[in-house]
């Protein structure tokens, strides 16, 4: 970007802030405005823009509006445990990840908690597609609450505007597992891909922009026969939950998860141009609250001993429902699965919540990867880190008592 465009962009943001009240922003946010992006195309921001915005997505005017998910009245404890003994250099690993937060919780205790990029544990970091797994959990809650009758219902029952489109024959379950067979391009490097274009779509009169875009897509394969990752489809899942429950996603998340799980700080959920939460993206939360989310799921999402989702939900949601072309891996209901029983929520640029029920382990990652949205090198390093933590836990269990 040229200096002239950068100055004009910054002035545009400052002008927008002036309208809303410059002094209503905290000191950190005012400082971030100098490098903050002036458009919503996150895939094509510079590294300094990402570093600035990922910690302030819900506070910088011109980027997005959000709904608040209130904090719980009483935060659930995250007591410290003994430091985790790892063979590798954690500082070097975090530097390679460009890590903003790294937390390891084992048996409910914090065994590792580190921060970077000038970020600390008191702020919120954006989740990107980690939110997909949150939205999936709300589907389970909506089934338990009777708002969704069956995962085998057709999507068009809940979103009638999809009647007559390629989604007319797609079930809720197929939407959850991304096996709709509807065409979609999720290439983050291609400005003409669906994932790059759909947020800027001009909707038909009286129709939500997302639904207007998705209903025009063609069929590429029979429903249920092919897996294809599609953020647009998780956004449809979010729309479906909102239609079924007649509640904003932030409200339902507060009722079913954020309050019961004892979240320490309020979260925010970014809104689309039409004022609805984006089901496939963009919850901002405290890193420790991401860890609490992992523990809530690990413990069956129970409130007073009763799960918020139907019996058997987690056995289906967090195990392989479809192949993804990687040995030992699969996809569940918006969760990435491993054949050893572990599963993870994943977001672009290095966000993640890894859950290992066998070892009672939760690993939270927040980052701003340098190698792009799906940085292959950073992704491989993170998988190796997960395995190293698992081995360290196993070694502790195998060690003779002193």
């Amino acid at each position: 970007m040229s200096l002239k465009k950068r100055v004009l962009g910054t002035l545009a943001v400052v002008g927008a802030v002036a309208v809303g009240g410059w002094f209503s922003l905290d000191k950190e946010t005012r400082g971030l405005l100098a490098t903050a992006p002036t458009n919503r195309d996150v895939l094509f921001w510079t590294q300094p823009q990402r570093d600035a915005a990922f910690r302030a997505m819900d506070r910088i005017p011109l980027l997005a509006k959000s709904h608040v998910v209130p904090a719980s009245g009483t935060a659930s404890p995250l007591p410290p445990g003994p430091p985790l003994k790892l063979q590798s250099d954690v500082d070097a690993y975090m530097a390679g990840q460009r890590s903003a937060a790294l937390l390891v919780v084992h048996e409910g205790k914090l065994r590792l908690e580190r921060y970077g990029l000038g970020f600390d544990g008191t702020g919120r970091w954006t989740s990107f597609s980690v939110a997909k797994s949150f939205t999936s959990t709300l589907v389970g809650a909506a089934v338990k609450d009777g708002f969704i009758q069956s995962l085998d219902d057709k999507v068009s029952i809940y979103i009638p505007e999809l009647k007559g489109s390629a989604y007319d024959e797609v079930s809720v379950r197929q939407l959850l597992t991304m096996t709709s067979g509807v065409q979609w391009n999720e290439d983050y490097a291609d400005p003409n891909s669906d994932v790059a274009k759909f947020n800027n779509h001009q909707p038909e009169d009286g129709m939500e922009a997302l639904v207007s875009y998705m209903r025009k897509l063609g069929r590429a394969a029979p429903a249920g026969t092919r897996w294809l990752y599609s953020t647009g489809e998780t956004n449809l899942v979010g729309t479906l939950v909102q239609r079924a429950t007649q509640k904003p996603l932030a409200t339902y998340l507060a009722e079913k998860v954020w309050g019961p799980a004892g979240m320490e700080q309020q979260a925010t959920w970014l809104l689309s141009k039409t004022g609805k939460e984006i089901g496939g993206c963009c919850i901002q939360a405290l890193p420790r609250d991401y860890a609490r989310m992992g523990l809530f799921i690990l413990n069956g999402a129970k409130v007073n001993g009763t799960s918020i989702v139907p019996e058997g939900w987690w056995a289906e949601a967090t195990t392989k429902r479809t192949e993804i072309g990687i040995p030992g891996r699969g996809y569940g209901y918006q969760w990435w699965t491993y054949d050893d029983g572990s599963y993870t929520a994943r977001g672009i640029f290095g966000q993640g919540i890894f859950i290992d029920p066998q070892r009672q382990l939760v690993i939270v990652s927040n980052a701003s990867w340098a190698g792009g949205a799906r940085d292959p090198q950073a992704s491989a390093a993170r998988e190796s880190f997960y395995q190293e933590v698992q081995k360290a836990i196993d070694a502790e269990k195998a060690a003779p008592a002193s």
Side-chain angles (χ1 to χ4, degrees):
M1 179 183 292
S2 69
L3 178 60
K4 179 180 178 181
K5 287 184 177 179
R6 190 167 189 80
V7 171
L8 289 175
T10 302
L11 288 174
V13 178
V14 172
V17 173
V19 173
W22 173 267
F23 293 103
S24 67
L25 299 177
D26 56 78
K27 182 178 179 181
E28 179 194 26
T29 304
R30 293 183 217 166
L32 292 173
L33 288 175
T35 52
T38 57
N39 62 72
R40 294 165 65 96
D41 294 330
V42 60
L43 299 175
F44 306 104
W45 290 345
T46 65
Q47 188 72 56
Q49 287 174 333
R50 291 197 295 266
D51 291 354
F54 288 3
R55 72 193 72 199
M57 295 278 280
D58 54 1
R59 291 181 286 152
I60 300 177
L62 220 65
L63 285 181
K65 294 182 179 179
S66 63
H67 282 162
V68 169
V69 185
S72 176
T74 304
S76 60
L78 272 178
L84 187 63
K85 297 179 180 179
L86 299 173
Q87 296 297 318
S88 63
D89 183 334
V90 175
D91 289 334
Y93 167 72
M94 290 184 67
Q97 293 282 297
R98 301 198 76 258
S99 182
L102 179 64
L103 286 73
V104 176
V105 182
H106 175 233
E107 296 181 342
K109 295 181 180 179
L110 263 173
R111 303 290 306 276
L112 175 69
E113 183 177 23
R114 299 272 189 92
Y115 297 95
L117 300 184
F119 182 71
D120 63 29
T122 65
R124 294 188 294 272
W125 195 267
T126 196
S127 64
F128 293 112
S129 289
V130 169
K132 289 179 168 66
S133 304
F134 287 52
T135 298
S136 165
T137 302
L138 295 184
V139 173
V143 172
K144 178 72 176 285
D145 289 345
F147 294 119
I148 297 173
Q149 295 303 309
S150 170
L151 293 187
D152 295 317
D153 284 350
K154 299 304 181 187
V155 174
S156 56
I157 292 175
Y158 301 93
I159 310 175
E161 300 95 312
L162 293 177
K163 288 185 182 296
S165 75
Y167 284 101
D168 204 3
E169 57 188 272
V170 175
S171 70
V172 177
R173 191 187 311 274
Q174 288 163 346
L175 206 60
L176 279 174
T177 56
M178 297 192 182
T179 57
S180 71
V182 177
Q183 67 184 26
W184 178 265
N185 181 350
E186 187 92 6
D187 186 347
Y188 297 123
D190 180 3
N192 291 313
S193 66
D194 293 302
V195 75
K197 291 193 306 183
F198 80 108
N199 279 327
N200 296 317
H201 175 67
Q202 294 300 314
E204 300 156 78
D205 288 344
M207 189 175 295
E208 189 174 340
L210 168 70
V211 176
S212 177
Y213 188 91
M214 302 297 284
R215 71 194 296 267
K216 295 178 181 179
L217 298 175
R219 176 155 295 286
T225 65
R226 181 208 65 176
W227 178 80
L228 181 70
Y229 189 80
S230 169
T231 291
E233 294 201 338
T234 314
N235 291 358
L236 275 184
V237 173
T239 296
L240 190 151
V241 172
Q242 292 174 51
R243 299 284 186 91
T245 63
Q246 293 295 297
K247 297 177 181 180
L249 291 179
T251 299
Y252 203 44
L253 182 67
E255 292 176 3
K256 308 309 294 190
V257 176
W258 224 248
M263 300 304 190
E264 179 180 343
Q265 190 181 110
Q266 73 174 30
T268 58
W269 203 327
L270 296 193
L271 307 179
S272 68
K273 290 192 300 183
T274 49
K276 306 291 186 181
E277 292 93 339
I278 305 168
C281 183
C282 306
I283 291 170
Q284 285 65 233
L286 192 75
R288 284 189 171 206
D289 284 341
Y290 287 127
R292 290 183 174 96
M293 178 64 174
L295 288 172
F296 186 63
I297 302 301
L298 180 65
N299 294 321
K302 292 181 179 179
V303 181
N304 297 324
T306 302
S307 181
I308 67 168
V309 297
E311 184 177 354
W313 176 267
W314 298 117
E316 292 187 13
T318 63
T319 58
K320 186 189 296 183
R321 300 295 98 195
T322 182
E323 297 283 349
I324 62 172
I326 302 175
R329 306 279 288 278
Y331 201 70
Y333 296 162
Q334 308 283 304
W335 292 93
W336 300 88
T337 68
Y338 301 77
D339 286 356
D340 70 354
S342 303
Y343 50 96
T344 185
R346 263 188 354 214
I348 55 174
F349 297 107
Q351 323 322 316
I353 304 175
F354 175 84
I355 301 172
D356 181 346
Q358 178 185 340
R359 297 174 178 84
Q360 292 292 292
L361 177 65
V362 173
I363 303 175
V364 170
S365 304
N366 291 137
S368 180
W369 282 350
R374 284 179 169 165
D375 187 337
Q377 184 175 351
S379 180
R382 184 173 60 182
E383 293 297 322
S384 296
F385 181 78
Y386 290 162
Q387 293 169 13
E388 182 179 0
V389 173
Q390 289 173 315
K391 290 176 181 177
I393 297 297
D394 290 345
E396 287 180 355
K397 296 293 186 184
S402 56

